[in-house]
C-alpha cells in the first residue's frame, strides 16, 4: 500500500484527521516516525502559504507523499484575528482559557458583544519539490457569549455553530461532519482515491 504522511505536530488535529482518513487505501504515517525533524517556522501571511510551506518542507525532509494543513479562527470584529496566529495568540505558552479572556476583552474594547467568525483549514498535498493538490474548508459561526463544552480542542469552546445551537466543543463526533477540517480532508480523500491520481503517482 502507498504511504501518506500526515504532517502535523498537533495531536488533537491528528486525531481528527486519522478518523477522516480512516479506511483510505493508504498507509497513514505520522511525524512520530521522524522524531528528529524540527517543526518549520510558520512565516506565511496566509493559511494557504503556510500549508504549502509545511507540506513541501516535510515532503523534502522525509521523501514521502505528505499532507499538511494550516488552520485557525478568524473573528470579524477583530479584523480577522487571531487568523494565522491562532496557535500563538497571546504568546505560545498562553493557555486556551487565557486566549479566550484576551478575545472577550478585545471584543468588549471594540464595542462588540459578539462577532461573526469562521474556522479556516487550508490543506496542501506535496511530494518532494511539488505541490500536487490544494483545497480549503471553512465553517461559519459566531463567538459564543461564554466558553462552553469540553470536547474538541483549541478555540472550539468559544465557537458557536448556529445550525447545531451549540459550540463545537459541545458536539463531539458531529464536529467533523461540518468542520473546516472535515471539508478539506473529504476533498483530499476524493483526490487521492481517484483512479487518475493513483495511476500517475
Ligand atoms: P501543525 O502546524 O504542526 O499542524 P499547529 O497547532 O501549530 O500544528 P496551525 O499552525 O495550523 O497548527 O494552528 C492551528 C491553530 O488554530 C490551532 O492550534 C488552534 O489554536 C486553531 N484551530 C484550528 N482548527 C481548530 C479547530 O478545529 N478547533 C479549534 N481550534 C482550531
Amino acid at each position: 500500500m502507498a504511504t501518506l504522511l500526515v504532517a502535523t505536530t498537533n495531536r488533537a488535529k491528528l486525531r481528527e484527521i486519522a478518523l477522516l482518513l480512516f479506511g483510505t487505501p493508504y498507509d497513514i504515517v505520522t511525524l512520530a516516525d521522524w522524531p528528529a525533524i524540527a517543526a518549520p517556522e510558520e512565516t506565511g501571511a496566509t493559511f494557504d502559504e503556510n500549508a504549502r510551506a509545511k507540506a513541501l518542507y516535510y515532503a523534502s525532509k522525509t521523501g514521502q507523499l505528505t499532507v499538511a494543513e494550516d488552520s485557525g479562527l478568524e473573528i470579524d470584529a477583530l479584523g480577522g484575528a487571531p487568523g494565522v496566529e491562532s496557535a500563538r495568540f497571546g504568546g505560545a505558552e498562553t493557555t486556551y482559557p487565557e486566549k479566550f479572556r484576551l478575545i472577550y476583552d478585545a471584543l468588549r474594547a471594540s464595542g462588540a458583544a459578539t462577532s461573526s467568525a469562521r474556522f479556516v483549514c487550508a490543506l496542501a498535498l506535496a511530494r518532494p519539490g511539488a505541490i500536487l493538490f490544494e483545497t480549503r474548508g471553512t465553517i461559519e459561526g459566531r463567538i459564543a457569549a461564554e466558553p462552553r463544552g469540553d470536547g474538541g480542542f483549541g478555540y472550539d469552546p468559544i465557537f458557536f455553530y448556529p445550525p447545531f445551537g451549540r459550540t463545537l466543543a459541545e458536539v463531539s463526533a458531529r464536529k467533523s461532519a461540518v468542520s473546516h477540517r472535515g471539508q478539506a480532508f473529504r476533498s483530499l480523500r476524493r483526490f487521492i482515491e481517484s483512479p487518475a491520481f493513483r495511476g500517475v503517482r
Side-chain angles (χ1 to χ4, degrees), residues 28-51:
I28 303 296
V29 293
T30 69
L31 292 174
D33 291 342
W34 286 272
I37 301 179
E41 289 243 356
E42 294 187 25
T43 54
T46 64
F47 295 114
D48 309 69
E49 250 180 88
N50 283 333

Side-chain angles (χ1 to χ4, degrees), residues 47 71-74 81-89 96 99 155:
F47 295 114
S71 48
L73 177 66
E74 291 181 342
V84 291
E85 297 297 328
S86 292
R88 301 172 291 276
F89 185 62
Y96 278 93
K99 290 180 181 6
Y155 296 92

